[in-house]
Amino acid sequence: MTIEAATKNEIVGRGNRDGAQLFRDWFAELGQTAEKGEQSAYVFVMGSMNEILKTFDLPVVFPEINSLQTAVRRVAGDFLSEAEDYGYSPDICGYVKADVSVQLRGGEHPMGRIPKPTIAVLTNACNTYVKWAEIWERMHGCPMFTLDVPGTREAGTQTWPGDQDFENDRRYVQKQTKELIALCEQVTGKKFDIDKFREILGHANSMSVGWKRVIEANKATPAPFNALTDGTIFLGVANGFRGTKEGADYFNDLVEEMEYKAANGIGALAEEIYRLVFIGVPCYPIFRRFNELFSEWGGSFINSTYLWFASGGSNLGFEYDLDKPLESFAEGTLISVRDAMDSMFHQSQMLVDMVDDYSVDGIVYHPIKSCRTVSTGLADSRSYFASKKDIPSLFVESDMMDSREISEAQMKNRIDAFFEGLASRKQQAAIAGKED
Amino acid sequence: MSVFNEWRGQPLEEIMYHCRELVEDTTFPTIKRWREQGGKVLGHFQVYFPEELAHAAGMMPVKMCGTMLEPNNADSHFGSYLCSIIKTSLEAALAGGIELDIFVSHPICDAARNLAAIFGRNFDYPCQILYLPQNPNSSDSVNWLADEYGRMRRLIEKVVGHEVTDTAIAASIEVFNENRSLMRELYDLKRETPWLVTADEAYVLVAIAGMIPREEHNELLAAVLPMLRDRETRQEDRIRVVFEGAFCEQPPLDLIRMLGRTCYVVDDDFLIGMRYILEDVPVTSNPLLSLSESYIERSSYSPVQHDNRKPKEEMLLQRIKKSRADAAIVAAAKMCEPGLEEQVAYIYMLDEENIPYFVSEFEENMSSFDQLELQIETFLENILFA
């Protein structure tokens, strides 16, 4: 084997391998925490506050990730039914219901045992977070802390440091951050260690910078990773290991892998024909198959709003100022979580801005029954985007958890028709090119 | 400017007729009349908005809480699996019935928090989110909300083209304090002597506040309340019921009328945002802070606000006890996620407290109630003859 081949073998695919291992390690640790009856914090992907919780050595549980795992492992149906028997409507978020079942089963989950929450920490980035945490509050009597992050009031009116409105919001977020720290001190019995916090912020900085570079690596043709499938693995690490050395190292390696692949023309797909952007939340009950419906036509997902909002806005690459850790943490939380919200409610302008950079051929909108936060505005957003850019799009509805809401045959028909349209468009462009 | 005069000089039954007609009129005549006289309009989506800010600027604050319109224009702007109110609220604006100068919504739920962005992509006027604290327990929430109200004041000033002074806001607070007081009287009447005011009458008397200037509404209530008290309706042997679940989307008036026929609805959360501040707002030299403090410290509850001091099931229990209700109707609008989630907590609490309850879903555009009426009558008879 040549040195080049050895390097390629070592680097290519490392992100997926290491990500899967980190995931197993994480769930093994959570299992041990549950067995020992030790403390844990329940958090969410959009503003996990991992930096603060890790300062108190609190293991973090992401119930959204636990729930999607039941769908990927094709056991979600049992979990959903159990919660519906308990009283929850078929018309509410499937993530919530799968988690209710996990709680009713004493933490039993296909990936191991999930500890009970000592504290629930959430932001307002999704309103269901609040209702969900209220369920734990009632079931377990744990305190819940909502860190209220004011978002963009109107498209294009975001404010920035120095602006009075921004400073008001920053003051509010910073005050709440201090209140969260006080609550953590009370719950854990530990004093807040500002130096440890600073070290954790440093790891989070490495990860954010890395995440931004990884996403940007997909400007290359062919795109080095699939935003839908590979991206979900990367997101898992970005959330579970935020603020840790393992997380920072992982993203340093991932940047190396993606930039290596980009430089060497190694794509996620052997033959990339169409470069697609995915808007929404993946179809986890048929996760692999859903992607195949696109990849079989040579369609590669090169970016997604999911990579933005489900990382809590880390895609911006915001770096905390370690000399002003608390002030900077409040500022970073405000800017990043706000961006996560923007990518759900105001993504049309973001798409307009990125399609040229990423050489996008088509947009796939995937609204889902379970998540109204992400899905409510997509039809309108699609119309707006169509009025600004001449890029074809597909609108296909299903769910992220509930296979009862998914018709694979119907989905395939629509996806096939979409690609036929894309093919015809490419042909016409080629003919027009020749004529010129 | 006066926009609703049909009721003046009329006997009570005629007044109630005109009020019902106005609430069900999907052409929004009072808003049109206001605009014809040169008035500007701020439309605000459910649940609560500090209407004093618009009022002080000379605008008419209009409650956007859905309509009976079919969402023929709005449907294509939304996906499936959504509540009706967000579609019909957009429909009211798209179809031209409600012409606005500002639209404001709040991140009350996952669907509604998209509304400002959707309106913004379809209309040229400002369409904004007003953030109301989701962490009212933070020691900074009152000050921060006052700042947020200040931001909203600046937006309103830009639209009306003149300053909105503290003095003007304080004067508006006084108008609204009178209104709050009259609404409390109405609800006291409903709670203590429910045979004097039916559920649908009380509902339309509150709903009209969202579609006419508040001074006019004060005049209306001040005239109607004594008439209601003077009614000679006799008390009947009916079950006293609390209706819970209408904090956002409203049940159709016919459904409320049906309830009024079958039981005494002694308290409810119909249009709770119009009655959200429970006491007078102090008139001070810092009116924004007064409004903010009243919202955080002296307000009602709903499934879309978490406050450690107000566990919802405990608040419902208080509502039931305070109104001496025999039972509860725990409803939710179809596809209303917070309402459906809260139902579960309510049901477990009611079971624990051994309070009879009836669980139901509704939609603002539903038109057939025969089966529901039969079910509710059976439920009430079971209590009556238990």
Side-chain angles (χ1 to χ4, degrees):
Chain A
M1 189 187 285
T2 63
I3 293 172
E4 288 81 11
T7 307
K8 183 180 171 187
N9 275 348
E10 188 204 323
I11 292 181
V12 175
R14 186 173 61 192
N16 286 0
R17 283 195 303 272
D18 291 355
Q21 184 58 49
L22 282 170
F23 232 69
R24 284 192 290 272
D25 294 346
W26 177 24
F27 274 81
E29 191 193 321
L30 290 180
Q32 287 165 14
T33 304
E35 291 306 323
K36 291 178 193 165
E38 289 176 349
Q39 294 189 315
S40 77
Y42 276 28
V43 299
F44 295 95
V45 297
M46 291 189 284
S48 68
M49 303 297 118
N50 222 341
E51 293 89 333
I52 290 175
L53 300 167
K54 284 275 182 282
T55 307
F56 289 95
D57 301 316
L58 278 165
V60 287
V61 175
F62 284 79
E64 289 158 298
I65 295 174
N66 300 345
S67 292
L68 77 85
Q69 285 293 335
T70 66
V72 171
R73 287 156 193 268
R74 295 176 183 259
V75 293
D78 290 345
F79 284 76
L80 297 180
S81 297
E82 191 173 337
E84 286 170 13
D85 289 346
Y86 186 78
Y88 286 99
S89 165
D91 295 328
I92 70 156
C93 170
Y95 277 0
V96 172
K97 284 186 288 187
D99 174 67
V100 164
S101 295
V102 170
Q103 303 307 323
L104 292 173
R105 294 175 185 199
E108 187 193 310
H109 183 273
M111 289 191 70
R113 196 160 154 224
I114 308 297
K116 285 181 185 169
T118 313
I119 181 174
V121 179
L122 55 142
T123 67
N124 58 315
C126 161
N127 289 67
T128 297
Y129 285 175
V130 182
K131 305 310 294 174
W132 197 343
E134 285 176 348
I135 295 172
W136 304 323
E137 195 182 33
R138 289 176 181 122
M139 276 187 171
H140 302 294
C142 65
M144 65 177 271
F145 188 97
T146 309
L147 202 137
D148 193 10
V149 182
T152 298
R153 274 51 166 213
E154 185 173 1
T157 65
Q158 291 89 340
T159 56
W160 299 99
D163 182 290
Q164 188 54 50
D165 289 334
F166 183 90
E167 295 306 330
N168 289 341
D169 291 349
R170 181 194 355 221
R171 186 199 70 225
Y172 180 42
V173 171
Q174 191 171 329
K175 184 74 186 176
Q176 293 177 83
T177 305
K178 287 180 178 171
E179 289 165 347
L180 173 60
I181 288 169
L183 179 62
C184 288
E185 286 184 329
Q186 189 189 323
V187 165
T188 62
K190 291 179 181 172
K191 286 295 288 178
F192 179 65
D193 180 343
I194 191 86
D195 293 322
K196 187 172 177 182
F197 181 57
R198 196 177 276 117
E199 184 187 336
I200 287 167
L201 292 184
H203 293 317
N205 281 349
S206 301
M207 184 182 265
S208 295
V209 170
W211 188 221
K212 186 168 185 275
R213 281 177 67 181
V214 166
I215 292 173
E216 285 172 352
N218 259 8
K219 286 179 183 171
T221 304
F225 74 96
N226 182 311
L228 194 66
T229 51
D230 305 324
T232 298
I233 297 170
F234 307 159
L235 270 175
V237 179
N239 283 303
F241 291 84
R242 183 163 179 80
T244 65
K245 184 174 182 310
E246 299 99 302
D249 291 346
Y250 174 85
F251 270 88
N252 286 335
D253 289 350
L254 194 60
V255 169
E256 184 185 39
E257 178 185 345
M258 294 309 143
E259 290 182 353
Y260 174 84
K261 288 175 79 174
N264 290 279
I266 303 169
L269 211 57
E271 194 188 356
E272 177 185 286
I273 304 172
Y274 305 105
R275 295 168 62 81
L276 307 173
V277 177
F278 180 84
I279 313 293
V281 179
C283 183
Y284 285 119
I286 53 164
F287 188 47
R288 189 170 52 83
R289 181 63 193 140
F290 182 85
N291 183 60
E292 282 169 0
L293 293 173
F294 294 87
S295 62
E296 284 166 357
W297 282 88
S300 181
F301 289 107
I302 51 105
N303 209 332
S304 77
T305 54
Y306 197 51
L307 296 183
W308 309 343
F309 63 77
S311 69
S314 300
N315 52 297
L316 287 183
F318 183 91
E319 290 182 78
Y320 303 118
D321 180 348
L322 303 187
D323 292 330
K324 295 187 291 181
L326 283 171
E327 295 88 332
S328 185
F329 179 72
E331 182 177 317
T333 299
L334 180 53
I335 289 173
S336 301
V337 175
R338 184 179 72 181
D339 190 75
M341 293 190 261
D342 285 348
S343 61
M344 297 185 289
F345 312 131
H346 302 295
Q347 84 284 105
S348 38
Q349 190 55 47
M350 294 165 156
L351 291 176
V352 169
D353 293 343
M354 67 163 283
V355 288
D356 293 333
D357 272 359
Y358 283 81
S359 313
V360 175
D361 295 307
I363 312 276
V364 177
Y365 290 89
H366 182 240
I368 49 171
K369 180 180 181 182
S370 267
C371 184
R372 292 168 177 95
T373 314
V374 173
S375 307
T376 299
L378 291 190
D380 186 72
S381 178
R382 182 196 188 199
S383 303
Y384 178 86
F385 178 77
S387 72
K388 301 286 174 195
K389 281 278 177 187
D390 182 24
I391 303 274
S393 64
L394 170 70
F395 196 80
V396 57
E397 288 184 295
S398 77
D399 198 49
M400 63 189 182
M401 286 294 290
D402 196 340
S403 54
R404 292 170 295 191
E405 301 295 333
I406 299 164
S407 165
E408 192 180 313
Q410 212 171 44
M411 202 180 255
K412 184 174 186 318
N413 277 341
R414 303 202 56 205
I415 293 168
D416 288 352
F418 173 61
F419 277 108
E420 282 161 13
L422 285 180
S424 152
R425 194 180 158 92
K426 279 219 173 206
Q427 254 175 357
Q428 283 165 8
I431 293 165
K434 273 183 194 168
E435 283 172 354
D436 288 345
Chain B
M1 283 192 276
S2 185
V3 299
F4 181 46
N5 292 312
E6 290 87 337
W7 63 274
R8 293 179 195 276
Q10 301 289 327
L12 180 60
E13 299 311 319
E14 278 296 303
I15 293 176
M16 293 315 308
Y17 166 77
H18 287 296
C19 289
R20 271 192 291 266
E21 286 291 296
L22 178 57
V23 167
E24 292 196 301
D25 192 336
T26 53
T27 65
F28 309 101
T30 51
I31 299 168
K32 286 202 172 79
R33 286 174 205 157
W34 175 263
R35 292 199 74 89
E36 281 161 12
Q37 296 173 65
K40 290 186 184 289
V41 178
L42 180 149
H44 57 93
F45 190 72
Q46 297 276 41
V47 176
Y48 170 77
F49 177 78
E51 295 176 293
E52 287 90 338
L53 302 183
H55 182 269
M59 298 183 87
M60 181 155 85
V62 168
K63 170 68 92 182
M64 305 283 281
C65 54
T67 80
M68 294 292 284
L69 287 167
E70 280 298 315
N72 297 325
N73 297 282
D75 243 352
S76 62
H77 295 263
F78 296 100
S80 313
Y81 315 120
L82 295 169
C83 58
S84 178
I85 184 174
I86 64 160
K87 295 180 191 173
T88 59
S89 294
L90 179 65
E91 182 70 23
L94 284 174
I98 298 184
E99 197 183 331
L100 300 176
D101 299 284
I102 300 178
F103 173 75
V104 182
S105 72
H106 321 279
I108 57 163
C109 74
D110 297 338
R113 66 186 310 164
N114 279 274
L115 263 189
I118 293 171
F119 267 74
R121 287 190 287 266
N122 289 281
F123 299 102
D124 292 333
Y125 50 77
C127 301
Q128 290 216 347
I129 282 181
L130 175 81
Y131 271 88
L132 296 166
Q134 285 289 2
N135 184 3
N137 306 111
S138 169
S139 59
D140 197 39
S141 64
V142 171
N143 286 331
W144 177 79
L145 181 57
D147 289 336
E148 178 70 353
Y149 286 170
R151 190 188 63 73
M152 185 53 58
R153 167 160 73 176
R154 294 200 303 276
L155 173 72
I156 291 170
E157 285 174 336
K158 208 168 148 190
V159 169
V160 296
H162 61 78
E163 191 186 355
V164 180
T165 63
D166 283 349
T167 311
I169 298 174
S172 295
I173 287 175
E174 293 198 59
V175 172
F176 279 76
N177 278 346
E178 185 188 344
N179 193 248
R180 280 184 273 268
S181 169
L182 289 164
M183 290 220 214
R184 286 198 297 270
E185 272 186 54
L186 176 64
Y187 265 71
D188 287 345
L189 190 71
K190 183 172 151 137
R191 189 168 48 248
E192 298 308 320
T193 51
W195 52 93
L196 294 180
V197 54
T198 62
D200 56 308
E201 287 173 337
Y203 178 82
V204 295
L205 285 171
V206 173
I208 273 181
M211 47 185 77
I212 63 174
R214 205 52 58 100
E215 292 87 341
E216 274 192 75
H217 191 245
N218 285 346
E219 281 183 70
L220 173 68
L221 288 186
V224 166
L225 282 166
M227 292 181 180
L228 290 170
R229 283 197 202 93
D230 288 345
R231 254 184 179 169
E232 292 182 350
T233 323
R234 280 194 307 190
Q235 182 177 1
E236 292 179 16
D237 189 16
R238 292 196 195 182
I239 297 295
R240 294 170 64 91
V241 166
V242 160
F243 186 98
E244 190 85 3
F247 60 94
C248 183
E249 184 167 324
Q250 300 300 297
L253 193 55
D254 284 343
L255 191 155
I256 301 172
R257 190 177 291 133
M258 178 270 282
L259 289 175
R261 281 198 304 267
T262 51
C263 58
Y264 287 140
V265 180
V266 288
D267 206 350
D268 54 64
D269 62 352
F270 297 143
L271 293 165
I272 192 69
M274 309 293 291
R275 307 179 281 120
Y276 211 69
I277 307 289
L278 296 172
E279 299 172 19
D280 283 359
V281 175
V283 180
T284 68
S285 59
N286 191 343
L288 296 184
L289 194 66
S290 294
L291 283 168
S292 162
E293 197 195 13
S294 293
Y295 176 79
I296 300 288
E297 302 296 341
R298 291 180 289 280
S299 59
S300 187
Y301 69 98
S302 85
V304 295
Q305 188 207 34
H306 179 86
D307 187 327
N308 292 335
R309 301 164 299 180
K310 295 192 265 189
K312 262 80 76 182
E313 54 271 52
E314 178 58 32
M315 300 306 290
L316 173 59
L317 186 58
Q318 279 181 28
R319 181 171 276 163
I320 291 169
K321 286 184 174 169
K322 197 178 162 201
S323 59
R324 304 184 308 284
D326 307 301
I329 294 176
V330 182
K334 283 189 193 303
M335 300 291 171
C336 168
E337 191 145 8
L340 290 165
E341 280 156 349
E342 210 61 63
Q343 258 187 347
V344 181
Y346 288 154
I347 289 166
Y348 278 85
M349 177 279 287
L350 291 166
D351 273 336
E352 207 166 289
E353 295 290 331
N354 210 17
I355 295 170
Y357 60 87
F358 180 83
V359 178
S360 183
E361 286 185 31
F362 66 85
E363 197 167 38
E364 59 183 0
N365 281 328
M366 67 194 286
S367 54
S368 170
F369 312 102
D370 294 349
Q371 203 184 346
L372 184 62
E373 185 165 8
L374 189 68
Q375 288 170 339
I376 290 180
E377 277 176 358
T378 309
F379 164 70
L380 295 169
E381 279 170 13
N382 278 341
I383 301 170
L384 206 56
F385 300 113

